[in-house]
Amino acid sequence: MSERARALLERGVRLSELDRPAEALNAEQEAVALYRHLATTDPDRYRPDLAKALNNVGVTLSELDRASEALSAELEAVTVRRGLAAADLDEYGPHLAESLTNLSVTFTELDRAAEALSAEQEAITLYRRSAATDPGTHRPNLADALVSAGVTLSALDRPADALTVEQEAVAIRRQLAAADPDRHLPDLADLLGSLGVTFTDLDRPADALIVEQEAVALYRNLATADPDQHLPDLAKSLASLGTTLSALDRSAEALAVTEEAAAIRRQLAAADPDTQRADLADILTNLGVRLSDLERPADALVAEREAVALYRDLATTDPGLHRPDLADSLTNLGVTLSTLERWAEALTVEEEAVTLLWQLTAVDPPRHLPDLAKALARVGVTLGVLDRLAEALDAEKEAATLFRQLAATDPGRYRGDLARALVNVGVRLTDLDRPAEALRVEEEGVVIRRELAAADPDQYGADLADALTNLGLTLSILDRTADALDVEREAVAVRRQLAATDPDHQGFHLAVSLATLGTSLSDLGRTAEALSAGHESVTVFRQLATTDPESHIPNLAAALISLGTTLSTADRWAEAMAAEQEAADLLRQLAATGHDRHRSSLAKVLTHLGVTLSELGRPGDALTAEREAVTIRRQLAAADPARYRLDLAEALNNLSVSLSELGREKEATKAWEEAEFIREGR
């Protein structure tokens, strides 16, 4: 009987090596039955063999995706070997460690990570003891056990603990690779990749970069010697390196390594499309992100379209595995199309992503509900841009409802998203001329963002200021000017704090908030305060325009126009003229580029300047400015009458007044009659 049991056990091993696990299992289970019988009569002799047979059955059941059955066999193997090790730890300790390692794998497959970790930690203790006396045999096993524990600790969201065991494993594998590179270099390279992920989880990208660069160098050498085996590893390692370089704002380098990874994946997919297309789609998605980081959306679009096509095919054959990937890929494509202002196309792919995510959420709400809420919010924005306001409101309300559900169970993670969704709903209600409803949701959004900003001003201060700005506009629409003023002051205070530490980015928002505050103060007749805000807004924009004229000269011109209006209200006409003249000079330079927006703004400030010059008793200069305004608005109205005809009428009316002041009544009448003709729509 013992010879039959031994033969069955050996047969099971050979069948497993031939990748015939079902047949191997039959042999191994029969061996277990025989050894169980033998162990009842002679336990000292046959219990080690029983444990080995049970161990093999557990491994084979795991290969057959029968984890629950594997667990039973492995637990029994551990029990038997624990008894043996209690009697002779030197002899049976390594065998117990082996069974504990197999048990940890099965616990992991069953999503029982805490129990997996306990088994791995016991295995580490045993292998550490064995490696102290027989390092040649057991140090590789110790390294493997440490690696497994690192993976489990990461799964348990304990990256700092994972780092400790992974660093110990790296030290061991480095020594092993130095002695036997052919055998151990691949394991070292793989572990360095895992260590890079752990550094990333700990928000240590500079450390991640060092180990990922070493992993890439190792895999590059390995792939040169054995491309069939290691080219996929090199592509994976390059992709991780690209992500880390991107996190370090080294976008050009990130693109280069991602492009190399994509080229490898394309080569592999050409040779073996069935197994490699998913990895190609994944790296193409990364490539799209890298190109977007470098403001190359047209190139990103090409990569993302290919990724979507691949995931669409993959999801047809294996929807359970690849529909989430397709939804993510569609989301990225929608963002890129939006960046390119191809809104109708963006809406099509965003709505397809939403449809997929509804289906996925119905099956697995915890995993997919957040992505669904975000996708609905994006659809709302796109519908808004397309002026489909009622539909946009429906999508944004639905997003807010989902984020409210998420925030109820995980407020730390989702209250910020809820606030953003509420702000979006408020903006859309305002667009639909429903300010009273907008006010309610905007006030709730402000309350949430105020709490978040109090806890983390760096992360949430700007969001709070945005929400306050929107709330101020809504209050103004509702003629609650004093209340609007209070929230605008708060917005300015928040922006001022942010700009003190980040003037380049936050200075623009501070200047805009100051301009908005100045308008509200002016409407309340608090001219001196309005002028103070207006002057500060101009000062900030002037500083920004010094370092980035292309972006901020238009903003400076707009701030000068607003300041000029407030100065006019205060009868400070000479100062108003100086501000308006500077704005006109700036806009005249911008208008030379031919952009209609700048030409329209130039006509607007020239119209204001004409009025100001008239007040200063300079009708001839006023006439010059107003004639230029009429010329510009006539050109604009010829190209787009629906948009610019009424502006032309206003400019002609002002010209008529100046001509009349100069006693040129015939010309004044002609200008006035043309203005009336336009207003009457003839």
Side-chain angles (χ1 to χ4, degrees):
M1 183 182 291
S2 63
E3 290 300 320
R4 168 72 175 162
R6 185 177 299 107
L8 286 165
L9 199 58
E10 292 174 355
R11 175 174 171 77
V13 171
R14 288 196 301 273
L15 287 166
S16 292
E17 291 171 348
L18 292 169
D19 197 23
R20 294 162 61 181
E23 296 169 78
L25 180 64
N26 290 332
E28 290 163 354
Q29 286 177 324
E30 188 177 349
V32 165
L34 292 174
Y35 278 127
R36 199 185 300 283
H37 177 75
L38 290 165
T40 58
T41 58
D42 192 348
D44 291 341
R45 181 177 178 183
Y46 291 111
R47 284 175 72 219
D49 296 319
L50 172 61
K52 182 177 181 180
L54 287 164
N55 189 76
N56 290 0
V57 166
V59 171
T60 302
L61 285 165
S62 289
E63 290 176 0
L64 291 166
D65 293 326
R66 294 164 62 177
S68 296
E69 296 170 79
L71 180 65
S72 177
E74 287 164 355
L75 284 170
E76 185 179 356
V78 165
T79 299
V80 174
R81 284 181 165 173
R82 199 185 298 285
L84 293 167
D88 188 346
L89 188 57
D90 291 337
E91 176 69 21
Y92 293 108
H95 299 297
L96 173 57
E98 176 193 24
S99 288
L100 287 164
T101 298
N102 292 337
L103 178 62
S104 74
V105 172
T106 302
F107 275 135
T108 299
E109 290 172 353
L110 293 168
D111 292 325
R112 294 165 63 173
E115 293 164 279
L117 180 62
S118 178
E120 287 159 354
Q121 288 173 326
E122 186 178 355
I124 287 169
T125 299
L126 291 167
Y127 279 134
R128 200 185 300 283
R129 181 180 184 280
S130 298
T133 57
D134 186 358
T137 301
H138 295 298
R139 287 175 73 229
N141 297 328
L142 173 58
D144 291 344
L146 288 164
V147 169
S148 297
V151 171
T152 304
L153 286 162
S154 294
L156 290 167
D157 198 23
R158 294 169 56 182
D161 295 325
L163 179 65
T164 300
V165 296
E166 286 171 354
Q167 286 177 320
E168 183 182 356
V170 164
I172 294 171
R173 283 190 170 170
R174 217 181 275 287
Q175 293 168 350
L176 293 169
D180 188 351
D182 290 341
R183 178 182 175 189
H184 294 293
L185 269 181
D187 290 334
L188 174 59
D190 181 66
L191 180 51
L192 288 167
S194 298
L195 185 58
V197 171
T198 302
F199 276 128
T200 298
D201 291 340
L202 290 167
D203 196 23
R204 293 171 58 178
D207 294 318
L209 179 66
I210 294 170
V211 295
E212 287 170 355
Q213 286 175 324
E214 184 180 358
V216 164
L218 290 174
Y219 276 131
R220 201 180 295 285
N221 290 333
L222 290 165
T224 300
D226 188 351
D228 291 340
Q229 180 69 28
H230 294 297
L231 265 180
D233 299 321
L234 175 58
K236 179 181 177 181
S237 189
L238 285 164
S240 297
L241 178 59
T243 300
T244 299
L245 286 164
S246 180
L248 290 166
D249 293 325
R250 294 166 61 172
S251 300
E253 296 168 85
L255 176 62
V257 297
T258 305
E259 286 178 326
E260 183 182 356
I264 294 171
R265 290 294 187 196
R266 198 179 295 284
Q267 173 186 340
L268 294 168
D272 186 1
D274 291 340
T275 63
Q276 296 295 329
R277 283 190 307 160
D279 290 324
L280 174 59
D282 184 60
I283 195 62
L284 286 168
T285 299
N286 287 354
L287 181 59
V289 173
R290 299 289 91 80
L291 288 162
S292 294
D293 290 343
L294 287 167
E295 298 182 1
R296 293 171 55 183
D299 295 324
L301 185 66
V302 175
E304 289 165 356
R305 282 196 189 282
E306 186 179 357
V308 165
L310 287 167
Y311 278 132
R312 203 183 295 285
D313 287 343
L314 290 163
T316 301
T317 56
D318 191 347
L321 180 61
H322 292 298
R323 281 195 307 167
D325 298 321
L326 176 57
D328 289 343
S329 188
L330 287 164
T331 296
N332 290 341
L333 179 58
V335 170
T336 299
L337 287 164
S338 297
T339 301
L340 291 166
E341 298 186 1
R342 296 166 63 170
W343 298 103
E345 295 171 80
L347 180 63
T348 299
V349 298
E350 288 169 355
E351 287 181 329
E352 184 181 355
V354 165
T355 299
L356 278 173
L357 287 165
W358 272 120
Q359 296 167 357
L360 293 166
T361 300
V363 177
D364 189 353
R367 179 181 174 189
H368 297 293
L369 191 61
D371 290 331
L372 173 60
K374 292 171 186 174
L376 284 164
R378 281 187 289 270
V379 166
V381 171
T382 303
L383 285 165
V385 173
L386 291 169
D387 205 27
R388 293 166 59 176
L389 302 182
E391 296 168 85
L393 178 61
D394 289 342
E396 286 159 347
K397 279 186 171 180
E398 199 160 17
T401 298
L402 297 180
F403 278 126
R404 197 181 296 283
Q405 294 174 18
L406 291 164
T409 56
D410 192 349
R413 187 172 183 182
Y414 293 112
R415 288 185 77 227
D417 293 313
L418 171 59
R420 184 179 300 105
L422 291 167
V423 169
N424 289 346
V425 170
V427 170
R428 203 63 61 214
L429 286 164
T430 300
D431 291 341
L432 289 164
D433 197 24
R434 294 160 62 178
E437 296 171 76
L439 181 65
R440 288 195 294 273
V441 293
E442 286 173 354
E443 285 179 328
E444 183 183 357
V446 164
V447 168
I448 295 171
R449 284 187 166 174
R450 196 176 274 128
E451 293 170 357
L452 292 170
D456 189 347
D458 291 339
Q459 182 173 353
Y460 294 107
D463 291 335
L464 172 59
D466 289 342
L468 289 164
T469 298
N470 290 340
L471 178 59
L473 291 171
T474 302
L475 288 165
S476 294
I477 293 169
L478 291 166
D479 292 326
R480 292 174 55 180
T481 312
D483 293 328
L485 186 63
D486 288 339
V487 296
E488 286 164 4
R489 285 191 189 280
E490 185 180 355
V492 166
V494 174
R495 296 285 191 202
R496 201 184 298 284
Q497 291 175 346
L498 294 168
T501 56
D502 187 5
D504 291 339
H505 181 64
Q506 295 295 334
F508 165 77
H509 298 291
L510 170 60
V512 171
S513 291
L514 285 164
T516 303
L517 176 62
T519 300
S520 295
L521 288 163
S522 183
D523 290 343
L524 286 169
R526 296 164 66 167
T527 307
E529 295 171 84
L531 285 172
S532 177
H535 277 298
E536 186 178 357
S537 178
V538 166
T539 298
V540 175
F541 275 132
R542 200 184 299 284
Q543 292 168 346
L544 293 169
T546 301
T547 57
D548 187 358
E550 183 176 351
S551 298
H552 294 298
I553 282 179
N555 300 322
L556 173 58
L560 286 163
I561 293 170
S562 180
L563 177 60
T565 300
T566 305
L567 287 162
S568 299
T569 303
D571 292 332
R572 293 165 61 173
W573 297 103
E575 295 169 79
M577 182 193 71
E580 290 163 355
Q581 187 64 64
E582 183 182 358
D585 292 341
L586 292 172
L587 289 166
R588 195 172 280 109
Q589 297 171 25
L590 295 169
T593 64
H595 199 298
D596 285 352
R597 177 169 62 89
H598 298 315
R599 295 169 68 214
S600 178
S601 298
L602 174 58
K604 176 182 177 182
V605 73
L606 287 167
T607 298
H608 284 239
L609 181 59
V611 173
T612 302
L613 288 165
S614 292
E615 291 290 339
L616 288 168
R618 296 169 56 180
D621 294 330
L623 184 64
T624 301
E626 286 160 358
R627 281 194 189 282
E628 187 180 356
V630 166
T631 298
I632 294 170
R633 285 184 165 169
R634 197 181 298 284
Q635 293 167 349
L636 292 169
D640 190 350
R643 183 174 183 182
Y644 293 111
R645 276 171 59 88
L646 292 179
D647 291 335
L648 173 57
E650 178 193 15
L652 286 163
N653 190 74
N654 289 344
L655 177 61
S656 173
V657 171
S658 292
L659 287 164
S660 182
E661 289 176 354
L662 289 167
R664 297 162 64 171
E665 294 298 338
K666 184 176 180 180
E667 294 171 83
T669 300
K670 183 179 178 182
W672 179 81
E673 287 175 346
E674 185 182 357
E676 287 299 300
F677 181 86
I678 292 170
R679 289 193 182 100
E680 291 170 6
R682 289 182 286 168

